Amino acid sequence: MSRFRFLFIIADSWGPLGCTIPVARELASRGHEVKFAVFDFHGFINRSNDIIPALDAAQILRDEGLDVLEVSAPPLKLPGKVPTPKNFLLEYRAFQSLFRDYLIPYYEHWLKYAIPVFQKYDPSAVWVKDQVLAGAMASEKLGVPWATFSVHTGFVESDDSLPWTMGLSPPESGLERMRNKAMKWGMRKFRMSLDDVINEARVRAGLPAIEDALFATPVSPHLYLLFVAPEFEPPRASWPAHVRFVGPYCWDKPRDYAPPRSLERIPSDRPLVYATIGTLSNRMEIDFYTTIMEALGDQPYTVVVSVGAYKDDYVASRLPKPPDNFIVESFLPNSMMIPRADVLVHHGGAGTTMMGLARGVPAVAVPLNHEHLDFAQRLVERNCGIRIDKKKLSAENLRAAVGRIFKEPSYKQAAQKAKSELARYDAVRSCANELLGLAAGQYMAERRSIQATPAHLEVR
């Protein structure tokens, strides 16, 4: 059997770690080599805007006994505070600036120092997080088989796909189909406005210009692994041949993590509500925590809240004293708390949503941004939870929604059905098998480039 060398290029947040750490261990157990490279996507933004948490993902990987390739790129001077838009249609100019003035220059800067490091390692195949455009460009430059992974299907468009991040249900009328078509056209026009900026960077890196560069650059034409399940996606006539659904990811508990002693106080004779809004939205949404305290502070439940800040007290230090029935901790692994919960309250994040379904726990979802709206709507469609849009979030509405889930058994029954459907997935084994096939040359395709590089994109 051939021994392959894999390079995993990830962003500095919990989701990419949760997707890749178990797969790296599985490949190593089969005799293959895996090294990581961390693109400090959030750390880069954090340097000028500390509302975005910075996670030392490289150190976590080392603590887990995994190898990290160091890309020693010197600091890149920033022209000001990096914008952090939450809705790309409503904050069009902020998104334009984010990519044009900050991310694209940083992608190019990082690439210059990363490529020699990767070439020296000489991987058999590369696996890249979809948000790391620089990692995708590096994979193309290396000329080896590469795969993308994602926790949502937003980059997989088709004629019958829904507009991404809008939180819509499948259309039931011709008018709704027309609305969806118009919304997707608008999104496409927005992406096209960035095509030249991204293609100019691609050409400078020695890569061809491509159509729909913002969406197409991060998606491998060879293999696309999705940590979701088609049973919980809006129906489509078909999916591209290179797409593989692998189900929920499962890792979020570092080796050195010790559960706080406060969890020993959870009574066994009271219902348990577990609340979290993940590890990226926490600093921007501190009001969420005060709202849940107001909503459930006098209710007959034990409420455990994770503010999602690993080795960081930024959020906890800004919260008021919690009610007597609350336990508030800076960081709690979902994998430890969700199985114990009777009801989840969360933001509709991919990992939390899918883990809640996999454990059969009904939820109240308060979507905050991006794909959260879509995941929250999928919960509603399957009767696995209740969605409260952020503008309608109040203590009264949240209290009523949690109470309704406890009172109406249909939510628990639907969540248990979802659990049985997801039981057939084994994301770790599936990813390892697919990546081995990739390294062995089973999945190869050529990216379709623009026929001729436009003159204004030529390297001068």
Side-chain angles (χ1 to χ4, degrees):
M1 181 186 76
S2 300
R3 183 174 185 268
F4 296 118
R5 292 183 303 279
F6 292 94
L7 172 61
F8 290 2
I9 305 177
I10 66 169
D12 53 343
S13 57
W14 279 106
L17 292 170
C19 293
T20 54
I21 284 177
V23 179
R25 288 176 176 155
E26 175 69 15
L27 289 169
S29 73
R30 301 189 196 185
H32 304 283
E33 182 179 349
V34 180
K35 291 187 184 294
F36 284 79
V38 177
F39 179 77
D40 59 337
F41 184 91
H42 301 98
F44 170 68
I45 297 174
N46 176 267
R47 287 167 208 160
S48 73
N49 190 346
D50 67 2
I51 197 98
I52 298 294
L55 181 71
D56 192 348
Q59 187 57 51
I60 292 173
L61 288 164
R62 294 188 197 97
D63 291 344
E64 295 297 307
L66 298 166
D67 293 329
V68 180
L69 292 176
E70 292 288 351
V71 177
S72 299
L76 180 67
K77 186 176 181 180
L78 300 176
K81 187 175 182 178
V82 180
T84 56
K86 297 180 182 180
N87 185 305
F88 69 84
L89 287 181
L90 300 181
E91 302 177 70
Y92 177 87
R93 290 186 178 178
F95 256 96
Q96 289 275 339
S97 176
L98 175 64
F99 278 91
R100 182 187 62 247
D101 302 325
Y102 297 90
L103 291 182
I104 298 301
Y106 190 56
Y107 291 150
E108 291 192 76
H109 177 72
W110 187 82
L111 262 179
K112 181 168 61 175
Y113 296 92
I115 291 294
V117 176
F118 298 164
Q119 288 174 330
K120 185 175 180 180
Y121 176 53
D122 191 24
S124 310
V126 184
W127 198 25
V128 187
K129 177 71 173 74
D130 60 353
Q131 76 194 95
V132 187
L133 274 71
M137 293 165 69
S139 302
E140 287 191 69
K141 284 288 291 182
L142 291 173
V144 300
W146 64 288
T148 307
F149 71 94
S150 183
V151 295
H152 60 76
T153 60
F155 287 119
V156 188
E157 285 194 328
S158 61
D159 289 341
D160 54 355
S161 63
L162 296 180
W164 182 41
T165 76
M166 294 292 106
L168 301 175
S169 291
E172 297 182 353
S173 66
L175 187 62
E176 289 181 345
R177 282 187 284 273
M178 289 177 61
R179 174 206 62 192
N180 290 356
K181 186 174 181 180
M183 293 180 75
K184 287 165 66 177
W185 178 86
M187 293 178 177
R188 177 76 176 88
K189 291 292 287 184
F190 164 78
R191 301 201 308 260
M192 287 175 64
S193 70
L194 288 167
D195 272 2
D196 277 1
V197 179
I198 295 173
N199 275 328
E200 286 167 3
R202 289 179 58 87
V203 170
R204 284 191 294 268
L207 299 171
I210 58 175
E211 297 176 352
D212 200 6
L214 179 62
F215 257 36
T217 292
V219 178
S220 168
H222 308 153
L223 181 64
Y224 197 6
L225 300 174
L226 297 172
F227 284 87
V228 287
E231 294 91 335
F232 300 93
E233 291 295 317
R236 301 192 193 188
S238 63
W239 293 90
H242 69 308
V243 166
R244 303 288 187 277
F245 290 92
V246 300
Y249 66 86
C250 59
W251 183 92
D252 64 355
K253 188 176 178 182
R255 280 181 178 176
D256 64 353
Y257 179 76
R261 298 291 297 274
S262 62
L263 300 184
E264 298 173 6
R265 304 199 310 266
I266 298 176
S268 59
D269 59 346
R270 289 180 53 146
L272 176 63
V273 176
Y274 173 56
T276 176
I277 54 173
T279 55
L280 288 179
S281 301
N282 50 5
R283 295 189 182 201
M284 293 179 280
E285 307 291 346
I286 292 178
D287 286 350
F288 168 86
Y289 302 109
T290 56
T291 300
I292 195 171
M293 288 180 189
E294 183 183 351
L296 303 182
D298 60 350
Q299 299 300 297
Y301 326 123
T302 298
V303 183
V304 178
V305 179
S306 169
V307 302
Y310 185 64
K311 298 182 178 180
D312 175 12
D313 65 354
Y314 182 99
V315 178
S317 65
R318 288 164 171 78
L319 294 178
K321 184 179 183 297
D324 291 342
N325 64 324
F326 270 62
I327 296 172
V328 179
E329 294 291 343
S330 288
F331 177 82
L332 293 169
N334 283 344
S335 60
M336 185 177 73
M337 293 307 306
I338 288 178
R340 300 178 63 174
D342 297 291
V343 174
L344 271 175
V345 178
H346 63 81
H347 59 311
T352 309
T353 300
M354 293 304 295
M355 189 176 293
L357 290 170
R359 297 293 187 171
V361 183
V364 176
V366 184
L368 300 176
N369 52 65
H370 303 311
E371 67 269 13
H372 300 170
L373 288 157
D374 296 334
F375 280 104
Q377 190 58 27
R378 303 294 84 80
L379 288 172
V380 172
E381 291 163 5
R382 292 292 301 259
N383 198 41
C384 293
I386 295 171
R387 167 181 166 179
I388 303 177
D389 287 341
K390 184 180 176 183
K391 290 183 179 179
K392 296 181 179 179
L393 177 64
S394 67
E396 293 75 18
N397 288 344
L398 185 56
R399 184 185 305 119
V402 172
R404 183 178 170 188
I405 288 182
F406 274 114
K407 291 175 185 176
E408 298 182 20
S410 62
Y411 289 107
K412 180 67 174 179
Q413 292 164 1
Q416 288 292 313
K417 182 180 179 183
K419 177 181 178 180
S420 67
E421 292 179 52
L422 289 171
R424 71 185 183 91
Y425 289 94
D426 183 343
V428 176
R429 186 176 181 83
S430 295
C431 287
N433 289 342
E434 295 289 356
L435 290 172
L436 287 171
L438 178 74
Q442 294 178 15
Y443 313 123
M444 290 300 293
E446 293 299 324
R447 188 192 294 284
R448 199 180 86 179
S449 62
I450 295 173
Q451 291 300 312
T453 301
H456 69 284
L457 295 181
E458 291 179 358
V459 177
R460 291 180 173 85

